[in-house]
Amino acid sequence: MNIMKNIKKYICVLVGLLTLLTSCESWFDVDPRTEIKEKDLFKNENGFFDALIGVYSIMARPALYGDELTMGAPEAIVQNYSIGSSAHPLYYMMKFDYENTRVRPTISAFWTNLYEAVVNVNNVLENLEKADKKMFSDNNYELIKGEALALRAYLHFDVLRLFGPSFKMDKTRKCIPYVTTVSKKNTPYSSPEEVVTLCIKDLEEAASLLVDDPIVKKDVSEDNIYRMNRTTRMNLYAVQAEMARIYHYAGDKTNALKYALMLVESKELALITDMQGVKKDRVISSELLFALFVDNLSSWADDHFSQSSMGYDYLQLTYYLEEFFDKNAGLGNDIRYDSQFDIVDYNGKLSKYLSKTGDSYYAKYRVPMLRLSEMYYIAAESTTDIDKASDWLNQVRQARALEQKSFADFDAVETYLTAEYRREFYGEGQLFYRYKWLDSNTIAEGYLVQNITSRKEEVYVLPLPEQEEDFGGTASQNN
């Protein structure tokens, strides 16, 4: 695969907070200097922590979860924005024209940046294997390794959800490589079911390593900056949540329910009860199991969503937003609609990522990656007990200031959850994966409905970067 042709560029470990190193361009000037720099980076546990922060920094880029892969492209595909002009940056994405010259670079950047993060994770893991464990204090060796393994699984699973067929489409087709080494050698492509197996393997090991994650020890005061703010790291709860998400995607209801319930039934986790607090904490931070800290988030969030922004901002007609949020259903005023959108005349703009005066610190600069509410949804779709499913869904409804709702059967649950994914994950990119998982013939609803029956493959499976295709990016050439 062409990823390995660029391996020297990708191994440039980005770091943040405490450590500043030379640029990617000079990182691999010559081998002796490379060895010195890498040896210097991994000479103590702080260096390993910094290398991990480098991975989160890659993930937080605007080309990935910081913007395009959350509030950008996936939201345009599911028709969450009203876009009328072909000059709008998301216009051709909304039209599913992935081959357009304005769209191709965005999609290619998903692939290259996600794998750049993977290579950096693998670099951490390989250096951990060579490290003297005596240099690590507390359980930091296990913490770093567990995080790295979990990140590798998280990243690969999203590559699969973007570039591979869903299980309902074709779970045996070779589609993406699961890269576990830092090497120039090609990595054979794997099928969706093989990728899922490899993800689960990494996550199971991660869970065993993170058993004493600081996030589960509420009574312990941490003075190590790397062990604080664990919801902005791949912590134990995030690992369990990702396992539930992956098993659910793969159609394994037994294990999806098992891992979802670890979080739904946890005494340490809870859905919100303070409805008014959402106005100052629009990402509902207390329910985040994993979120990226994006310190410059407001710079592009203002451009996209601010009422004062000009030009090609991201908005939706109020009429459709009211449909999405059942505004006229008579079942309460959804706190997400009331708090997460700025409504002016006929248009509504998402305010989730804006930085407003008086906002809670924990509401700022955070892009959600895994939510507790998703575990309730997965549990509801994985159980065989409709009463339990109804109860879990209504617990989330109560936490969104909504009245209770009855569910006659699991068809009703599925239909409800597709609409609920739009409401709960608006601007987070998750609804696209829901439609893909369902292998749905339509995207969106009402007047926005897009019938894609005859072209589901081209809509749900993003094209590989051109250079990847040129250098053997097909199943037959990689196996």
Side-chain angles (χ1 to χ4, degrees):
M1 54 183 282
N2 194 41
I3 292 167
M4 295 308 159
K5 288 176 66 66
N6 295 318
I7 198 76
K8 289 188 177 182
K9 181 180 78 172
Y10 290 171
I11 297 176
C12 172
V13 181
L14 302 180
V15 296
L17 294 181
L18 303 178
T19 305
L20 294 175
L21 298 176
T22 55
S23 68
C24 293
E25 287 77 7
S26 63
W27 183 266
F28 272 92
D29 284 345
V30 291
D31 287 344
R33 289 172 61 184
T34 299
E35 292 169 4
I36 291 171
K37 289 175 183 177
E38 186 163 333
K39 181 179 179 181
D40 186 61
L41 175 64
F42 294 114
K43 68 181 179 181
N44 55 41
E45 70 174 29
N46 284 352
F48 281 94
F49 276 122
D50 284 338
L52 269 185
I53 290 174
V55 177
Y56 293 113
S57 296
I58 296 172
M59 295 171 69
R61 289 174 180 170
L64 287 182
Y65 304 102
D67 185 357
E68 287 289 355
L69 198 48
T70 49
M71 61 197 82
E75 296 298 285
I77 293 172
V78 299
Q79 315 298 302
N80 266 349
Y81 304 132
S82 177
I83 302 172
S85 171
S86 61
H88 194 288
L90 294 176
Y91 177 83
Y92 292 101
M93 195 72 74
M94 178 195 69
K95 295 293 187 180
F96 318 128
D97 186 0
Y98 304 152
E99 297 298 336
N100 187 277
T101 55
R102 294 178 59 189
V103 173
R104 263 290 197 169
T106 299
I107 293 176
S108 294
F110 294 159
W111 177 277
T112 55
N113 281 272
L114 286 167
Y115 275 113
E116 181 178 347
V118 167
V119 171
N120 279 272
V121 165
N122 287 336
N123 200 33
V124 172
L125 289 167
E126 290 193 6
N127 276 278
L128 272 177
E129 293 304 310
K130 297 181 289 186
D132 182 356
K133 289 188 179 181
K134 294 179 181 178
M135 77 167 67
F136 298 92
S137 57
D138 301 317
N139 65 329
N140 288 341
Y141 178 89
E142 290 76 15
L143 195 68
I144 293 166
K145 186 174 182 180
E147 269 190 63
L149 287 166
L151 282 169
R152 185 165 73 185
Y154 190 103
L155 292 161
H156 277 106
F157 182 60
D158 274 4
V159 176
L160 173 65
R161 293 200 294 178
L162 290 165
F163 295 96
S166 69
F167 271 58
K168 289 183 179 179
M169 294 171 74
D170 186 351
K171 65 181 180 179
T172 63
R173 185 201 312 171
K174 305 292 185 180
C175 55
I176 72 162
Y178 199 96
V179 184
T180 59
T181 61
V182 181
S183 170
K184 294 180 184 179
K185 295 181 179 179
N186 286 358
T187 299
Y189 277 39
S190 297
S191 66
E193 59 184 359
E194 289 169 337
V195 172
V196 161
T197 297
L198 291 166
C199 285
I200 294 299
K201 179 177 181 293
D202 275 347
L203 289 167
E204 285 178 339
E205 185 176 357
S208 67
L209 291 164
L210 294 172
V211 64
D212 292 321
D213 190 320
I215 201 169
V216 303
K217 296 187 174 182
K218 302 287 187 181
D219 59 335
V220 177
S221 177
E222 292 286 352
D223 57 6
N224 184 333
I225 189 172
Y226 298 105
R227 295 171 61 91
M228 299 164 63
N229 298 321
R230 291 295 295 163
T231 55
T232 59
R233 306 282 188 268
M234 273 298 286
N235 58 77
L236 178 60
Y237 297 148
V239 170
Q240 294 167 343
E242 184 70 359
M243 292 180 81
R245 175 185 278 181
I246 293 175
Y247 275 125
H248 180 256
Y249 189 82
D252 185 340
K253 291 186 175 183
T254 300
N255 279 307
L257 180 61
K258 170 186 173 182
Y259 285 98
L261 289 183
M262 286 183 182
L263 300 157
V264 169
E265 297 178 346
S266 171
K267 295 181 180 179
E268 302 297 330
L269 302 170
L271 298 169
I272 59 167
T273 56
D274 179 12
M275 300 299 107
Q276 291 302 311
V278 177
K279 294 181 179 179
K280 294 184 178 180
D281 183 2
R282 292 176 299 284
V283 297
I284 313 181
S285 62
S286 66
E287 292 185 12
L288 296 178
L289 302 173
F290 173 39
L292 286 177
F293 184 87
V294 185
D295 60 359
N296 54 351
L297 176 61
S298 62
S299 63
W300 51 84
D302 282 347
D303 289 339
H304 295 335
F305 305 112
S306 176
Q307 290 297 335
S308 61
S309 64
M310 300 294 291
Y312 308 114
D313 39 7
Y314 299 0
L315 57 83
Q316 183 54 273
L317 298 179
T318 307
Y319 174 82
Y320 294 126
L321 285 176
E322 290 183 351
E323 273 196 342
F324 295 160
F325 285 88
D326 288 336
K327 192 70 174 175
N328 301 315
L331 293 174
N333 293 320
D334 197 315
I335 191 64
R336 293 167 297 193
Y337 180 84
D338 291 345
S339 299
Q340 294 180 345
F341 289 86
D342 290 327
I343 307 296
V344 176
D345 297 326
Y346 302 107
N347 297 321
K349 295 183 182 179
L350 188 69
S351 62
K352 186 182 292 185
Y353 298 116
L354 298 180
S355 182
K356 297 185 177 184
T357 302
D359 281 352
S360 163
Y361 166 77
Y362 294 102
K364 295 180 178 180
Y365 317 118
R366 283 163 173 76
V367 174
M369 305 290 275
L370 284 161
R371 287 188 175 277
L372 178 59
S373 54
E374 184 180 352
M375 300 303 105
Y376 284 77
Y377 302 153
I378 290 174
E381 251 177 342
S382 300
T383 184
T384 57
D385 188 329
I386 191 63
D387 291 332
K388 287 184 177 180
S390 298
D391 179 57
W392 289 322
L393 295 180
N394 277 307
Q395 285 185 52
V396 180
R397 289 184 61 82
Q398 182 177 355
R400 302 298 178 259
L402 295 170
E403 295 179 16
Q404 301 293 281
K405 183 179 177 68
S406 60
F407 297 91
D409 51 40
F410 283 100
D411 286 340
V413 169
E414 182 179 284
T415 300
Y416 171 79
L417 279 176
T418 301
E420 179 68 356
Y421 266 63
R422 187 182 299 276
R423 294 185 284 263
E424 182 72 359
F425 305 112
Y426 208 106
E428 298 177 22
Q430 294 301 319
L431 181 59
F432 168 72
Y433 304 126
R434 170 88 184 165
Y435 280 120
K436 181 170 181 173
W437 174 76
L438 288 169
D439 197 30
S440 177
N441 291 325
T442 59
I443 285 181
E445 53 194 80
Y447 290 110
L448 292 177
V449 67
Q450 301 290 314
N451 191 311
I452 60 168
T453 304
S454 62
R455 51 179 182 150
K456 286 192 288 186
E457 178 80 19
E458 66 181 82
V459 172
Y460 289 137
V461 182
L462 301 189
L464 298 183
E466 292 177 358
Q467 66 269 26
E468 191 67 20
E469 294 174 345
D470 291 342
F471 289 94
T474 64
S476 61
Q477 291 172 310
N478 284 275
N479 292 277

